[in-house]
Amino acid sequence: MTDTPRTGTPIGRRVVLGIVGLGVAGVAAGRWLSEGVSDVVSAAAPGLAGVIPAAGGFRIYTVTGGYPEFNPATYRLSVSGLVDQPLSLSLTDLDDLPQTQMTKDFQCVTGWRVDDVPWSGVLLRDVIDAAGVEAGATALKFTSFDGVYTESLTLEQAQRDDVLVATSMYGKPIELKHGAPVRLIAAPMYAYKFIKWMDGIELTRTVEPGYWEVRGYDIDAWVGESNGRSDDPVV
Ligand SMILES: Nc1nc2c(c(=O)[nH]1)N[C@H]1C(S)=C(S)[C@@H](COP(=O)(O)O)O[C@H]1N2
Ligand SMILES: [Mo]
């Protein structure tokens, strides 16, 4: 685990504090931040971003009202549970695994979408294979270092060739608001499956419903098959 510098802008403490400050406004505005529109997609009306989604833009969601901090040097992705060999992967370890790129539409179940988002990282299947699946595992549980959000997939879904442990978006390290340093991309599903700030993958016996799923969202989130939802604040 050498200290290979990663490309892109390091996230400074000042920037992190600034973003968390915006999180307070986000809480007042509902469950997505007024800062809302990603700068990788041009914002049609930045001032209104917290109220009206800009065409083609992302909305930034965080159920904690802010973005969790991390240190790239000490960040680890743990792979645990029903595996032959538990793993604790640094960002350098992830970079050393075979890299996969995919460009996919990004769809929130509430109706907004961003077409053709390029991602790269490691296929979830390759991460699972590196750990080795033990008998009895049928599902995966994902955790976030925001301490609250969780998600899940069946083992069969996790082994698809369009499910990625993503470290890069639009050719750059994923930005903090989009889940740096690692987020899940389950391309054929709605983006509530795309857990941000991911720090844990656990192989489990049964599917454990994720954060929104215990609040009524469908556990299988196939785009077009799962039920639509509203963006109204969830109280
Ligand atoms: N940790 C965490 N991951 C999350 C969420 C969240 O609130 N916290 N929201 C989910 C939902 S509902 C969507 S639509 C996408 C939004 O991704 P974005 O904030 O990068 O636009 O992240 C998903 N992953
Ligand atoms: Mo969403």
Side-chain angles (χ1 to χ4, degrees):
M1 283 180 270
T2 50
D3 255 333
T4 313
R6 288 168 60 79
T7 51
T9 317
I11 295 145
R13 180 159 175 79
R14 193 179 55 80
V15 176
V16 171
L17 289 176
I19 291 168
V20 170
L22 284 165
V24 178
V27 170
R31 64 184 171 85
W32 47 283
L33 298 179
S34 59
E35 188 249 2
V37 176
S38 168
D39 45 53
V40 292
V41 175
S42 68
L48 293 174
V51 185
I52 301 167
F58 285 89
R59 295 181 185 183
I60 305 299
Y61 288 115
T62 171
V63 295
T64 62
Y67 306 151
E69 254 184 277
F70 73 99
N71 176 342
T74 56
Y75 167 85
R76 296 291 183 272
L77 175 64
S78 80
V79 186
S80 65
L82 296 170
V83 291
D84 298 330
Q85 174 65 58
L87 303 175
S88 177
L89 300 170
S90 68
L91 293 175
T92 310
D93 294 334
L94 283 171
D95 283 347
D96 287 345
L97 287 166
Q99 301 294 300
T100 298
Q101 303 187 359
M102 55 183 71
T103 297
K104 298 288 181 181
D105 298 344
F106 186 108
Q107 273 185 258
C108 176
V109 71
T110 63
W112 58 273
R113 67 185 273 155
V114 181
D115 291 339
D116 300 328
V117 184
W119 303 97
S120 63
V122 183
L123 279 182
L124 179 57
R125 184 171 66 199
D126 290 340
V127 174
I128 299 169
D129 286 351
V133 178
E134 273 195 351
T138 70
L140 288 83
K141 177 185 178 180
F142 308 96
T143 53
S144 167
F145 60 86
D146 70 10
V148 179
Y149 206 84
T150 59
E151 254 307 332
S152 61
L153 289 174
T154 67
L155 181 57
E156 191 184 357
Q157 292 163 357
Q159 287 168 326
R160 292 174 58 101
D161 61 9
D162 51 6
V163 178
L164 192 68
V165 175
T167 53
S168 144
M169 177 185 185
Y170 291 110
K172 300 181 302 180
I174 295 177
E175 290 177 59
L176 184 61
K177 64 188 170 199
H178 286 300
V182 174
R183 92 179 288 174
L184 187 70
I185 301 300
M189 295 196 173
Y190 286 114
Y192 63 87
K193 287 285 177 187
F194 300 12
I195 189 171
K196 304 199 287 186
W197 310 297
M198 183 165 74
D199 67 351
I201 299 172
E202 186 187 340
L203 278 282
T204 57
R205 275 183 205 288
T206 52
V207 171
E208 288 181 37
Y211 181 89
W212 285 117
E213 292 149 16
V214 297
R215 291 163 177 79
Y217 283 38
D218 291 343
I219 293 173
D220 287 331
W222 305 109
V223 169
E225 291 174 37
S226 175
N227 291 326
R229 296 283 157 181
S230 119
D231 233 355
D232 294 340
V234 174
V235 193

